[in-house]
Amino acid sequence: MNVEAKRIAERKTVQEIMKIYCHGHHHIRESGNELCPDCEAIAAYADIRIARCPRMAVKTFCSVCPIHCYAKPQRELILTIMRYSGPRMLWHHPLMAIRHILIQWRTRHGLRKREK
Ligand code: SF4
Ligand SMILES: [Zn+2]
């Protein structure tokens, strides 16, 4: 997968992760929006980080990135969101989830280029 395809895949994954979290916590479906304003704000923040990520070619997970471009409050919020949505992705978006699990497994077992 080339860098831009990877970036697009990451942006889509974050959107789906945000939808699962928002729909599980906030009751906004009646409004017709996919996300509530708070989740929309954090999704937009993450989207900008992905769009500008200088490590897209080599990155695995932001949690092991040496740059950590997220500000602390947003980083903590994203971690909470990931903890909730991560396991649920397997049900909602199995292919995305399997890709994520494979990357995680390869990272843990050193089968992928380490973050520098
Ligand atoms: S934390 Fe690192 S890998 Fe994640 S978006 Fe920021 S620079 Fe890229
Ligand atoms: Zn929400």
Side-chain angles (χ1 to χ4, degrees), residues 3-4 8 10 13-14 19 25 28 32 40 45-46 49 51 57 60 70 78 86 90 92-93 98 102 111:
V3 175
E4 282 320 303
I8 289 167
E10 294 234 349
T13 304
V14 166
K19 279 187 216 166
H25 289 78
I28 50 90
E40 188 66 55
Y45 181 90
R49 308 262 67 86
T60 52
Y70 283 65
I78 280 283
L90 205 49
H92 291 272
H93 299 285
I98 286 166
L102 269 176
L111 297 176

Side-chain angles (χ1 to χ4, degrees), residues 74-107:
Q74 282 86 351
R75 196 194 304 178
E76 283 170 4
L77 188 50
I78 280 283
L79 273 175
T80 303
I81 292 166
M82 288 295 293
R83 270 187 223 113
Y84 178 83
S85 297
R88 289 165 176 83
M89 281 289 280
L90 205 49
W91 175 255
H92 291 272
H93 299 285
L95 288 180
M96 277 185 190
I98 286 166
R99 177 178 165 267
H100 189 86
I101 290 165
L102 269 176
I103 293 171
Q104 196 169 41
W105 192 87
R106 285 185 189 142
T107 305

Side-chain angles (χ1 to χ4, degrees), residues 31-43:
S31 71
N33 295 328
E34 289 280 15
L35 301 175
C36 73
D38 286 348
C39 290
E40 188 66 55
I42 187 72

Side-chain angles (χ1 to χ4, degrees), residues 1-71:
M1 190 186 285
N2 71 38
V3 175
E4 282 320 303
K6 186 177 174 191
R7 202 181 302 273
I8 289 167
E10 294 234 349
R11 292 171 96 160
K12 281 188 188 158
T13 304
V14 166
Q15 275 299 321
E16 295 310 316
I17 282 169
M18 289 307 309
K19 279 187 216 166
I20 292 170
Y21 180 81
C22 188
H23 295 175
H25 289 78
H26 312 129
H27 306 282
I28 50 90
R29 286 183 195 212
E30 311 79 49
S31 71
N33 295 328
E34 289 280 15
L35 301 175
C36 73
D38 286 348
C39 290
E40 188 66 55
I42 187 72
Y45 181 90
D47 195 58
I48 291 170
R49 308 262 67 86
I50 295 169
R52 296 178 183 167
C53 175
R55 299 184 52 79
M56 189 53 64
V58 295
K59 85 181 277 281
T60 52
F61 298 104
C62 292
S63 54
V64 293
C65 173
I67 297 175
H68 277 310
C69 69
Y70 283 65

